[in-house]
Amino acid sequence: MKPALALKTSVQYLKGVGPRMADRLDKLGIETVEDLINYYPFRYQNYALISPLNKLQEGEIVTVRGVIENIDNQYLRGAKTIQKAVLTDESGEIEVSWFNQPFLTQALKKGTRVALSGKVKNYRGKISLASPEYEIIENQAVSFQKTIHTGRLVPVYPETRGISSKYLRKIIASLLPRIKEKIPEILPVKTIIKYQLLARKEALAKIHFPENKLAAAKARERLAFEEMFFYQLKILKKKQARQKEKKAFVWKIKKSELNKKVKEFIDKLPFKLTGCQKRAVKEILTDMKKPQPMNRLFQGDVGSGKTIVAAIAALASLANGYSVAFMVPTEILAFQHYQTLKKFFTPLKIPVELITGSKKIISRKKVKIILGTHALLFKKKPFSNLGLIIIDEQHRFGVAQRKKLLKQISSGFLPHRLTMTATPIPRTIALTLYGDLEISILDKMPPGRKPVSTFVIPPSKRKKCYHWLKKEVKKKKIQAFIICPLIEPSETLTTVKAAKEEFSYLKKKVFSNLKLALLHGRLPGKKKNQLLEKMQKRKIDILVATPVVEVGLDLPWATVMIIEEADRFGLAQLHQLRGRVGRREEKSYCFLFAQKAGPKAIKRLKALTEIHQGLKLAELDLQWRGPGESYGLKQHGFPKFKIADIGDLDLILKTRQAAAQNCAKIRE
Ligand code: ADP
Ligand code: MG
């Protein structure tokens, strides 16, 4: 005996499916009845306008209903055929034609009642329909609302080989009335009422067969709400769990004492802190005084001055007698930060340790800053006495690596955490992706920065551009970067090989009398540091590099950035690369080479010539490339939403609020 139909029933037992189609559906991720009703259309074909035959207007997309008067098959040249039919209703008749569907002469025999949907053509005053969608109306009494392929908003599904939208419509339409009452509600009733959402079973029926656009929108809204709600709930629970974690270190010094230290520290800087830097310092210090460990994301465009704010956070931990671990993604950056931090902390008699794959500078003192690359994760002795962890360019580290760092701790309390990123994150993404973190943002640059003049260079101007650069280097002693194409997302041998080739070509053929050097991720750490030092001492004119330089480099004399095959990068990423120049009063330039880019890519790149705010560019990336590509979301453990749009701020704010209201009540 057949088991009763349930949500968990395998689709192969449905009428019209069977093992072969079940296999194909499986490729779309559809195994059960529940999967099938949760397979949403991505758009609707609007065939809702129903018209008598004598009222048809050229260009309209309509549905007509009538009787096939006659139909025949005509042969064209080649193996092509055309099916010509005449349709009549009470008001008149029209001609209808299809191509290469000879079976239609059997399916739509003379006398068949049909509904046809398509675009109205007018050829020399003769109205016709070409290749319309058809649906046989078996029972004359059936109203139009009961049709599924015509006469309504018709769902269009993501298809795969052997599974057409028409097929999906058919099986879903016959399934829905049988299963609808078995679809459980999963949102709290209060939430449904408060946000005026459709019941789940209504939403699932209407997402497939809405009576109009409004109904489709309401269905979509409800299902998106549900999806985002459960995600936000998960995040909130994570946050709650964190608040119950081990405590942070006990704050020992007086508030006034720390304020004095911070003030002295700031007074010694060669510049004044910007307003947003001050605000970030305040947010961080307030957090650090709380008994729960801080977990804060610190976002600021390249060059916005995050390092100094991090240094002040470090100072607060150090002043309390607790060490600081500062993890950065590359050796070069470690080395650069080492120099910066030493300048700040040597006068305060606080040692800075450096631990990278190739270099170790260790101090015996108990309270110190431990700066390092991934090498910190493999330290033999665990950290003791750690008050604060700072992670720079956090997007360069995976979730697992960040967790591993926390495991390296042996003290009885948890350190505060400050993760920094120059990747501009639109607010919607921040609220979802980092919904469990506090966020500080540097939204203004230190004064005096000039925007980097940016140009998209067509292939014909490449030579001229090189020539200009040659003269500029000679005349002004400036330095330049040439970034090699991004061949693969990570630094592989292929990428390195391409960089080497480009380097030797440029060195021999283009800039033969300038000093060129090559930097790529596979160079030994020592070599990288040497290169950086040479750049700083201006012993190198042009640094040819793979995109590794994206991360944090601060070289004041570099004023020209050339990026090969710029169209392979996201806008925010290009903006980061561009941020390597323009750090001095001297005017800076960025040239985007896009040898093979089409007009669409060029248009996208042009945005960089006008927009100089990372956040705006990130939002454009989100529009153009979608969230997955723009943020490497998978790597962050970010779910792929089926229906919720993570660019929809309203949805995100509402579901966060709703999740917060339900958080305490819902148990897992
Ligand atoms: P990022 O946020 O990209 O890490 P950095 O911390 O490297 O930026 O800062 C970039 C440059 O700006 C550094 O040379 C730093 O000394 C300088 N800087 C930071 N804050 C200010 C400020 N308030 N005024 C002027 N220059 C500043
Ligand atoms: Mg930085």
Side-chain angles (χ1 to χ4, degrees), residues 258-407:
L258 179 72
N259 288 347
K260 205 177 126 214
K261 283 193 176 185
V262 170
K263 190 173 178 304
E264 279 170 11
F265 190 85
I266 293 172
D267 286 346
K268 266 189 252 156
L269 296 174
F271 47 75
K272 270 201 194 136
L273 288 191
T274 61
C276 50
Q277 281 174 319
K278 282 186 198 155
R279 187 179 65 214
V281 165
K282 205 169 150 194
E283 287 165 350
I284 291 168
L285 295 186
T286 309
D287 256 18
M288 285 178 70
K289 283 176 197 156
K290 291 182 185 160
Q292 289 91 23
M294 163 173 80
N295 196 1
R296 187 171 278 276
L297 179 74
F298 183 25
Q299 182 208 319
D301 229 338
V302 264
S304 59
K306 293 184 292 295
T307 318
I308 189 66
V309 175
I312 295 170
L315 182 68
S317 175
L318 297 162
N320 273 288
Y322 297 100
S323 293
V324 176
F326 197 138
M327 187 160 80
V328 302
T330 65
E331 297 228 7
I332 293 192
L333 202 56
F335 195 65
Q336 183 184 287
H337 276 358
Y338 177 69
Q339 292 172 323
T340 313
L341 292 175
K342 250 180 53 172
K343 250 192 293 175
F344 293 148
F345 288 101
T346 307
L348 303 175
K349 305 216 163 44
I350 295 168
V352 183
E353 282 193 359
L354 179 68
I355 303 178
T356 73
S358 64
K359 202 165 187 155
K360 282 198 176 60
I361 303 170
I362 302 287
S363 158
R364 293 164 145 262
K365 276 203 176 171
K366 194 163 168 280
V367 179
K368 57 198 172 187
I369 300 180
I370 308 143
L371 175 69
T373 55
H374 299 78
L376 286 185
L377 300 174
F378 303 101
K379 227 168 72 95
K380 290 216 181 68
K381 257 175 53 190
F383 298 109
S384 58
N385 198 38
L386 205 58
L388 170 69
I389 292 178
I390 302 168
I391 300 182
D392 200 4
E393 312 289 346
Q394 62 92 33
H395 61 286
R396 287 288 175 127
F397 296 97
V399 182
Q401 286 172 323
R402 279 179 266 159
K403 278 199 181 133
K404 187 152 194 252
L405 187 60
L406 280 178
K407 291 223 176 85

Side-chain angles (χ1 to χ4, degrees), residues 584-651:
R584 259 179 2 118
E585 300 295 286
E586 187 75 41
K587 190 167 163 51
S588 289
Y589 300 88
C590 174
F591 300 110
L592 305 171
F593 288 175
Q595 199 87 3
K596 294 173 201 134
K600 234 172 122 182
I602 298 285
K603 197 176 153 213
R604 192 170 67 89
L605 290 178
K606 287 256 162 119
L608 277 157
T609 63
E610 287 150 27
I611 301 172
H612 293 267
Q613 271 168 288
L615 197 60
K616 279 217 177 109
L617 291 166
E619 281 162 3
L620 286 180
D621 270 340
L622 195 58
Q623 281 173 24
W624 271 322
R625 309 214 304 173
E629 272 223 54
S630 312
Y631 296 94
L633 295 183
K634 253 213 193 121
Q635 159 201 341
H636 289 284
F638 202 57
K640 211 170 163 235
F641 289 105
K642 230 164 79 173
I643 192 165
D645 170 9
I646 59 171
D648 183 348
L649 188 60
D650 188 50
L651 172 72

Side-chain angles (χ1 to χ4, degrees), residues 200-260:
R200 185 147 181 268
K201 59 183 182 187
E202 293 306 330
L204 283 171
K206 285 183 182 176
I207 191 88
H208 295 288
F209 296 105
E211 58 268 30
N212 52 41
K213 281 186 183 163
L214 185 67
K218 281 298 278 180
R220 193 155 279 272
E221 181 193 323
R222 145 79 211 212
L223 295 169
F225 192 101
E226 170 185 311
E227 191 176 31
M228 189 54 87
F229 172 84
F230 285 106
Y231 180 75
Q232 296 291 352
L233 199 61
K234 201 172 94 191
I235 286 186
L236 277 184
K237 283 191 187 149
K238 212 164 125 191
K239 192 167 177 176
Q240 278 186 336
R242 214 185 62 232
Q243 283 163 356
K244 289 186 204 128
E245 275 176 348
K246 277 198 270 183
K247 298 273 185 269
F249 66 73
V250 179
W251 194 271
K252 288 179 193 152
I253 60 169
K254 274 198 201 127
K255 208 173 151 194
S256 56
E257 204 178 322
L258 179 72
N259 288 347
K260 205 177 126 214

